[in-house]
Amino acid sequence: MKLTKRKIAAGVLTLILLLNMLSGCSEKTTTAEQKGNVTVNIGVQGSTGVLPYAREKKYFEKAFEKEGVKVKWSEFESGPPHFEALASGRLDFGATGGTPLIAGQSGNVDFKAIAVTTNGKKGNSIIIPKGSKIKELKDLKGKKIAVAKGSSAYNFLYMALDQAGLTDKDIKIVQLQPDEARPALDNGSVDAWSTWEPYATTAIYQTGAKSLADGEDLKINAPSFLVARTQFTKEHPDLTVLFLKTYEKVRQEFINHPDEVTVDIAKKEKLEPEIVSTVLKRADLILSPTTKEFAKAHQQQADFLYNVGGIKTKLDTSKVIENKFVEKVLKKQ
């Protein structure tokens, strides 16, 4: 493996250094909070997933209200900021791809991966603008590629380059969040964009952009997870189970009433129903423990990051996996 350390380290290691600092000053839950006046802090990103939909329909508010618990939402553009919030004690639950988990574990953030939400095969894509002369991954040589540092799409990009026999010296990475990357792709400031759903499908439908490769094409299995602040799960195991139970209730709405969910999201986000429908089909939403297959895929991603210098310590990712809560929820189904 010939990928150099410089650029990938700039993205992932910078995040890890920040998380290391934050993990030492997380907020502690007081005795009063344990007994009453509890607020569950939930992180959300994107506009088409289970948590954004649940926030709009107030599923969690209704579920937690019965326990005398309040719900507070925090919005993030990508996975890495979730872990900054977890590290500082401002977040209790969230949903992210696997790479932010790896950075979080490397940064000593005290969290647990409490469930898998997708297998991730179609979650990340490298897309190119309409009319691009790029035909295959090898054609990315010498090109500018936008990607959000520390995101699942960041790791996906490097794994895709590796399969194409390219190194980070062969391309120019432009670190942009989705709200900056999409305009850059549209106006030609970058030649390609490594991103996740719904951003990839939205660009394809709205501008005629094309997918150069996704995880399914490259046989990259990259599961996404629900994560929780460890201290919260210890102090409130019942609320952790309730969070997962409520998530599963909303997920079932997506599975059993896809047309209604599609219409609701499309109307709320002012998107074409075809975009939303395609995104939901590609998401392949599940709620599962971290099985041996998912654990192996996640460990392989961590090993890849270690081998290319994205993280300094070889991780045992099983140390942050906690299946007991989701197993309890699914056993009752």
Side-chain angles (χ1 to χ4, degrees), residues 3 16 28 31 54 68 110 132 178 249-250 267 281:
L3 289 177
I16 291 170
K28 304 298 182 181
T31 303
D110 198 7
S132 173
K249 181 178 180 180
V250 184
K267 184 177 181 181
K281 288 176 182 176

Side-chain angles (χ1 to χ4, degrees), residues 53-67:
Y53 186 79
R55 178 176 64 168
E56 178 66 19
K57 298 294 183 179
K58 299 189 181 301
Y59 275 92
F60 285 91
E61 285 82 352
K62 294 171 184 176
F64 281 94
E65 184 179 27
K66 297 175 183 178
E67 304 297 324

Side-chain angles (χ1 to χ4, degrees), residues 128-135 191 207-210:
I128 52 177
K130 182 179 180 180
S132 173
K133 295 181 180 180
I134 297 172
K135 302 298 181 184
D191 302 295
T207 70
K210 294 181 179 180

Side-chain angles (χ1 to χ4, degrees), residues 20 63 122 149 153 172-173 184 200 228 251 273 280 290 292 326:
N20 267 316
K122 298 180 181 179
K149 66 178 181 180
K172 179 176 176 57
I173 287 184
R251 188 188 75 86
L280 296 184
T290 302
K292 290 182 179 179
V326 70

Side-chain angles (χ1 to χ4, degrees), residues 33-48:
E33 286 176 329
Q34 293 176 26
K35 295 181 177 179
N37 300 320
V38 176
T39 297
V40 173
N41 298 281
I42 305 174
V44 63
Q45 62 173 308
S47 58
T48 60

Side-chain angles (χ1 to χ4, degrees), residues 224-250:
S224 294
F225 298 85
L226 289 174
V227 296
R229 186 167 58 88
T230 302
Q231 189 65 23
F232 186 92
T233 66
K234 289 179 178 179
E235 293 171 352
H236 305 290
D238 54 333
L239 297 183
T240 303
V241 170
L242 181 57
F243 171 82
L244 290 168
K245 182 178 179 181
T246 306
Y247 184 96
E248 175 62 5
K249 181 178 180 180
V250 184

Side-chain angles (χ1 to χ4, degrees), residues 110-132:
D110 198 7
F111 76 95
K112 290 290 184 285
I114 57 173
V116 173
T117 58
T118 72
N119 61 28
K121 291 180 180 178
K122 298 180 181 179
N124 294 301
S125 305
I126 297 174
I127 60 173
I128 52 177
K130 182 179 180 180
S132 173

